[in-house]
Amino acid sequence: MKLAEGMELIARDWIVKPQGFRVKFQQMINGELVTGYSPSLEENWLDSDVTTWRYAWKLAMASASDDNRPVEGSLVNITVVDDKDRSVNYYVTGRPQVFNAFCAKSF
Amino acid sequence: MGDQLSRFQHLGQLMQTNGLDMISSLLILIVGLILTKWVVKKIRILLNRFIKNTTTVSVAANSTGVVLLGLVITASAMGVGVTPGPLVTLMMIVVLIAVGVILVFRPLIPTLPFKVGDYVKVGTLLGKVEATTVLNTRLRTFDGKTFFVPNRQILDDIVINYHYTKTRRVKIDVTLRYDQDLIKAKRVLEAVMIEDARVLPKPNPQVYVLELGSNGVRLGGRCCVNNLKFWVTKCDLLEKTKVRFDRENIEFAHHQLDINYKRIQKETAEDMIEPMPGE
């Protein structure tokens, strides 16, 4: 295997670089959980996963409720996804992370 | 005295016959210049919405301004009875001479090594170029201060223009304790850089052992990022390195000072003291 081929293999199978990141959440609208993204799909991605996780945490803090049940308009199941809508591992723990988790099976 | 009187009389006659035309011509010139400036400003705003390249926008807006200026001068001159043919010829000659002079003396004309919108470092000032004039450059530093730097000072100083190259190298240097797993640390640091979306795949991110220092092994991570994303990427990589090393139980070295002391037996110490002469 030539060096270039080896580098290509590494780039293909290990270095999977997302184009960007979005916060994915569910919002209680008219009693139903509706999936949404921020920035919205019409806007540009955020290019930093660190920034996106920070943003997700802030959204979670803004929507947190005492009884852990979503009220109208509040955000639950907040996480970060990449450009292919795949869940991104939280860089601190190395595992998936969901803020304000409410009903994981429907997410 | 008589000569001056005859000149004033001639001027008076000229004002009587062509005064209205001259005033209207002057008005056309003034209004035309104001309108030209306004139109160029609006064109610049309009083009900025569609074209991101500021140089292209400036060239297009300024070219329109020059054409409009020529039209205003022609219209103004026609107001006092000058035929447009010779006037256009004269203007063309002036423009061609100006272009020729600029082309010939271009290498000798000092130019600023940046344009509006660039991030630069001039002397100790680091910031964004907001505007340039003939005399000075308006520079806004990242802490929000606005500096008016004389152009002669910029031309005499070393200037770093961060827009000149598209990529920039990020240095992530960490120091590990000697009892830590060096190879594991190298892998983790390399993975942190490789996995970040903003780190460019070419040239490959690399990790080197930079130094076997007094308090630990110094590792240096090197990777390239887009110049405009340098600062945030560097900060994010540092943060990720810290949390990832913590997760992998790799400990950083701290500045330390080892103090070694010998316990010497009392008898031995007394033996070591040589008696003074005469004792």
Side-chain angles (χ1 to χ4, degrees):
Chain A
M1 185 190 288
K2 291 181 180 175
L3 183 64
E5 291 170 352
M7 299 307 285
E8 195 179 321
L9 179 74
I10 294 167
R12 190 182 63 236
D13 292 346
W14 182 32
I15 308 167
V16 182
K17 287 186 184 288
Q19 298 293 311
F21 304 93
R22 281 197 168 100
V23 174
K24 187 177 183 179
F25 57 83
Q26 288 186 315
Q27 189 169 22
M28 185 64 80
I29 298 173
N30 296 329
E32 288 186 7
L33 289 174
V34 179
T35 302
Y37 297 89
S38 185
S40 64
L41 296 173
E42 294 79 32
E43 291 177 287
N44 288 333
W45 305 93
L46 294 173
D47 59 5
S48 163
D49 54 339
V50 176
T51 307
T52 314
W53 276 111
R54 191 78 180 156
Y55 178 47
W57 174 76
K58 286 177 185 171
L59 285 176
M61 287 297 104
S63 301
S65 59
D66 294 336
D67 57 355
N68 211 19
R69 292 193 63 81
V71 294
E72 185 68 16
S74 67
L75 308 181
V76 293
N77 297 330
I78 302 167
T79 190
V80 172
V81 292
D82 66 6
D83 55 321
K84 292 185 173 61
D85 205 20
R86 293 174 303 204
S87 182
V88 174
N89 286 345
Y90 187 31
Y91 69 98
V92 178
T93 58
R95 289 193 293 271
Q97 172 86 34
V98 178
F99 295 119
N100 286 2
F102 171 62
C103 184
K105 65 179 180 182
S106 68
F107 189 51
Chain B
M1 187 72 181
D3 190 35
Q4 278 186 348
L5 195 63
S6 68
R7 275 186 191 172
F8 279 118
Q9 283 175 344
H10 179 68
L11 190 66
Q13 282 177 349
L14 198 69
M15 286 302 288
Q16 276 181 344
T17 52
N18 298 319
L20 206 61
D21 291 339
M22 287 170 75
I23 289 168
S24 66
S25 176
L26 195 65
L27 275 175
I28 289 170
L29 189 67
I30 292 167
V31 173
L33 287 176
I34 293 168
L35 273 176
T36 302
K37 197 171 179 183
W38 182 78
V39 168
V40 169
K41 194 178 171 184
K42 291 291 172 192
I43 287 174
R44 200 182 291 273
I45 292 168
L46 190 71
L47 289 177
N48 271 326
R49 287 184 191 167
F50 303 108
I51 304 170
K52 286 188 176 175
N53 191 341
T54 51
T55 312
T56 314
V57 172
S58 287
V59 168
N62 291 340
S63 304
T64 313
V66 169
V67 171
L68 287 176
L69 191 67
L71 286 173
V72 167
I73 292 170
T74 309
S76 173
M78 282 171 69
V80 286
V82 177
T83 51
L87 189 70
V88 170
T89 311
L90 182 69
M91 281 171 58
M92 285 297 289
I93 291 168
V94 170
V95 167
L96 286 173
I97 288 171
V99 169
V101 167
I102 289 170
L103 283 176
V104 170
F105 292 103
R106 171 88 179 163
L108 303 175
I109 300 169
T111 52
L112 294 171
F114 47 72
K115 55 184 185 294
V116 173
D118 285 1
Y119 288 98
V120 296
K121 187 173 184 185
V122 181
T124 56
L125 297 175
L126 178 67
K128 186 179 183 182
V129 178
E130 286 195 330
T132 54
T133 65
V134 180
L135 292 176
N136 57 38
T137 293
R138 199 170 80 216
L139 195 72
R140 189 175 170 85
T141 54
F142 292 111
D143 58 354
K145 291 176 194 157
T146 301
F147 288 84
F148 294 88
V149 188
N151 288 345
R152 59 183 164 74
Q153 193 174 331
I154 292 170
L155 292 169
D156 284 343
D157 214 334
I158 292 172
V159 176
I160 301 173
N161 187 340
Y162 294 107
H163 282 246
Y164 225 76
T165 49
K166 286 190 176 175
T167 60
R168 192 170 165 193
R169 194 174 69 165
V170 176
K171 291 160 70 172
I172 307 290
D173 290 355
V174 293
T175 307
L176 306 172
R177 282 173 31 182
Y178 274 106
D179 57 357
Q180 299 299 299
D181 187 342
L182 176 64
I183 305 304
K184 185 181 176 187
K186 280 184 76 174
R187 283 178 187 157
V188 169
L189 184 53
E190 194 167 351
V192 165
M193 291 188 293
I194 284 175
E195 286 166 9
D196 193 282
R198 293 155 296 177
V199 172
L200 301 173
K202 287 181 181 176
N204 292 310
Q206 298 283 348
V207 180
Y208 304 99
V209 177
L210 299 177
E211 188 187 3
L212 300 176
S214 57
N215 59 330
V217 183
R218 200 156 69 91
L219 286 185
R222 301 288 183 268
C223 60
C224 282
V225 296
N226 189 317
N227 216 335
L228 300 177
K229 297 175 183 173
F230 171 80
W231 177 251
V232 180
T233 308
K234 184 181 178 179
C235 294
D236 285 356
L237 286 174
L238 283 169
E239 182 179 339
K240 282 181 182 178
T241 303
K242 171 72 174 74
V243 295
R244 190 74 174 266
F245 273 45
D246 287 350
R247 206 166 74 215
E248 301 284 348
N249 295 320
I250 303 169
E251 291 184 32
F252 294 106
H254 304 287
H255 282 289
Q256 61 187 46
L257 180 66
D258 292 341
I259 300 171
N260 299 306
Y261 67 97
K262 276 185 183 172
R263 295 192 67 180
I264 303 170
Q265 295 292 326
K266 194 178 176 186
E267 308 84 48
T268 318
E270 282 173 354
D271 292 344
M272 287 172 70
I273 301 169
E274 289 182 13
M276 293 290 286
E279 280 187 2

